[in-house]
Amino acid sequence: MKQPPRPPRPQSATRAFARASGAPAGDATARRGQAPRFERPDAFAAARREDSPGGEPIIREDEMDNELGVKKIGVVGCGVIGMSWTAYFLAKGFSVRATDPNPAAEARTREYVDNAWPLLERMGAAPGGKDRLFFSTDLIEAMDGVDFVQENGPERIDLKRTLFRDIANAIEPRVIVASSSSGIPVSDFQGASVHPERIVLGHPFNPPHVLPLVEVAGGKLTSPDVVDATVRFYARIGKKPVRMNREMKGHIANRIQAAVMREVLYLLAQDVASVEDLDIAIAHGPGMRWAILGQFLNADQGGGEGGIRHMMEHLGPAMEGWWADLGRNEHIAAEDIGLMERGVAKILERHDRAAIASARDSVLAQILQAKAAEDRLPY
Ligand SMILES: NC(=O)c1ccc[n+]([C@@H]2O[C@H](COP(=O)([O-])OP(=O)(O)OC[C@H]3O[C@@H](n4cnc5c(N)ncnc54)[C@H](O)[C@@H]3O)[C@@H](O)[C@H]2O)c1
């Protein structure tokens, strides 16, 4: 792993970003309200790489400087995902104005942030960040003065429609609203809102305060500039956004997960291996490579000198044979859930669930640090 001596850092992330993107440094607020300009996403990669030599913290307060002039972020819905986004945004130095109709959500969110903070501090959380959380059960009060909104309400289309209408009425027209929705396309709920062109998908992976991926997609009424600006904003604050060229049910990564779930469930039902061994087959095999490279570059490596072409021409016919043999479940049967549950329970007889969660996040953070310190990886 590359660990060069840490050079002095006279250049702020803003300057490096400005240099890479062609934008003047320090005028983020001056650009506020203007139509977002498209800049190549790899400008961010260049800026972030240049500014993140080995061993640097992943999270840095100066990343708060962004072309949208975002200082206050509205978080709507403080369940599993909203609480985690809140922790992330606070760690990045933003003020967070959170809302949830459940009055218990405030204490729960503050506790979540407290628990996540030691890990976030190890990742370089902004000092004092935890104090910048305001909570109200009143949506209009909470959204007062926000510059960006991350929506995390329940995954129900009727609720999303009403919620987006209410959010849109509570904020300035320039403010982008990103939905964490796991499966409902933005097109299905943006129509009832004023200025639907600034409503966009910003689908994170759980837990968003640790995992970098955010899938960004516009709906039918979303401005392409807003999609681009949202991609750049997430990249700017340390996320790893991918831009979808068009909406697709389940987006990208959940479809991939669904395909894998279908097959492990099939293998389990066929009694090919235990739950634990099926999990090990992923976590100690392809999953380790997937944490570093995706399917295509891993296949390219697997093809040796001939790259991905050789890989597919050589092993493709065998793979076609496996495809023809794959499980094709369309329903999750009650007995399959029982099989999975019993297999998981067997592992949990020996290992504490909360300890597993904490260890998983801790190892994830170490992987992120290791990746940030390795400048030869392509993405
Ligand atoms: N859980 C995941 O792994 C995951 C991952 C990525 C995205 N998502 C998406 O994130 C969103 C939230 O999922 P979750 O798992 O956090 O759900 P959750 O049930 O844990 O949280 C939903 C929260 O929304 C609140 N809520 C209900 N009505 C509301 C309203 N009118 N205004 C504001 N808040 C309201 C609830 O009180 C609750 O706290 C969903 O769209 C989901 O698809 C979930």
Side-chain angles (χ1 to χ4, degrees), residues 77 79-81 100-101 108 152-155 160 163 180-182 203-204:
V80 173
I81 294 303
D100 193 296
R108 195 176 62 198
N152 321 277
E155 186 78 349
K160 293 267 190 219
L163 193 51
S180 292
S181 170
S182 297
H203 175 245

Side-chain angles (χ1 to χ4, degrees), residues 48 52 56-60 63 88 92 122-124 237-238 365 367-370 372:
R48 281 157 36 76
S52 304
E56 287 289 298
I58 294 168
I59 292 178
R60 295 244 310 283
E63 285 178 330
Y88 187 77
K92 285 293 185 180
R122 287 209 296 282
M123 293 164 70
I237 68 167
I367 293 172
L368 290 171
Q369 295 276 11

Side-chain angles (χ1 to χ4, degrees), residues 256-277:
I256 296 169
Q257 287 205 123
V260 173
M261 179 56 98
R262 181 185 241 183
E263 187 55 21
V264 290
L265 194 46
Y266 179 72
L267 293 171
L268 184 66
Q270 296 294 309
D271 198 23
V272 172
S274 66
V275 161
E276 183 161 355
D277 280 345

Side-chain angles (χ1 to χ4, degrees), residues 75-83 85 99-103 105 108 137 139 151-156 159-160 162-163 166-167 179-184 202-208 251 254:
V75 170
V76 176
C78 295
V80 173
I81 294 303
M83 291 190 295
W85 268 124
T99 184
D100 193 296
N102 181 352
R108 195 176 62 198
T137 51
L139 178 94
E151 177 277 333
N152 321 277
E155 186 78 349
R156 270 182 38 201
L159 261 167
K160 293 267 190 219
T162 318
L163 193 51
D166 294 347
I167 295 169
S179 173
S180 292
S181 170
S182 297
I184 309 175
H203 175 245
F205 243 58
N206 193 28
H251 321 313
N254 272 340

Side-chain angles (χ1 to χ4, degrees), residues 32-195:
R32 204 167 164 172
Q34 290 177 9
R37 267 188 310 128
F38 177 71
E39 281 139 16
R40 287 181 303 120
D42 62 354
F44 280 85
R48 281 157 36 76
R49 187 156 303 145
E50 181 183 340
D51 214 50
S52 304
E56 287 289 298
I58 294 168
I59 292 178
R60 295 244 310 283
E61 197 171 7
D62 55 6
E63 285 178 330
M64 263 189 71
D65 291 330
N66 57 83
E67 67 175 292
L68 295 173
V70 175
K71 299 253 183 287
K72 286 184 202 159
I73 298 184
V75 170
V76 176
C78 295
V80 173
I81 294 303
M83 291 190 295
S84 180
W85 268 124
T86 297
Y88 187 77
F89 292 140
L90 289 171
K92 285 293 185 180
F94 292 102
S95 295
V96 173
R97 298 183 65 87
T99 184
D100 193 296
N102 181 352
E106 175 168 11
R108 195 176 62 198
T109 304
R110 291 192 188 278
E111 191 185 344
Y112 186 99
V113 172
D114 281 345
N115 290 336
W117 207 255
L119 179 67
L120 288 164
E121 272 185 331
R122 287 209 296 282
M123 293 164 70
K130 272 199 304 181
D131 304 334
R132 300 192 190 103
L133 173 60
F134 171 84
F135 181 94
S136 172
T137 51
D138 183 73
L139 178 94
I140 294 174
E141 184 186 22
M143 292 304 103
D144 186 35
V146 299
D147 309 302
F148 184 88
V149 177
Q150 186 75 42
E151 177 277 333
N152 321 277
E155 186 78 349
R156 270 182 38 201
I157 181 127
D158 52 332
L159 261 167
K160 293 267 190 219
R161 269 199 197 114
T162 318
L163 193 51
F164 272 82
R165 187 200 59 205
D166 294 347
I167 295 169
N169 286 337
I171 56 176
E172 291 177 39
R174 68 174 172 85
V175 175
I176 290 176
V177 192
S179 173
S180 292
S181 170
S182 297
I184 309 175
V186 164
S187 295
D188 288 1
F189 53 77
Q190 68 184 158
S193 306
V194 288
H195 294 289

Side-chain angles (χ1 to χ4, degrees), residues 206-227:
N206 193 28
H209 72 273
V210 182
L211 283 183
L213 178 65
V214 190
E215 294 168 328
V216 182
K220 289 192 177 77
L221 303 175
T222 311
S223 151
D225 285 348
V226 165
V227 180

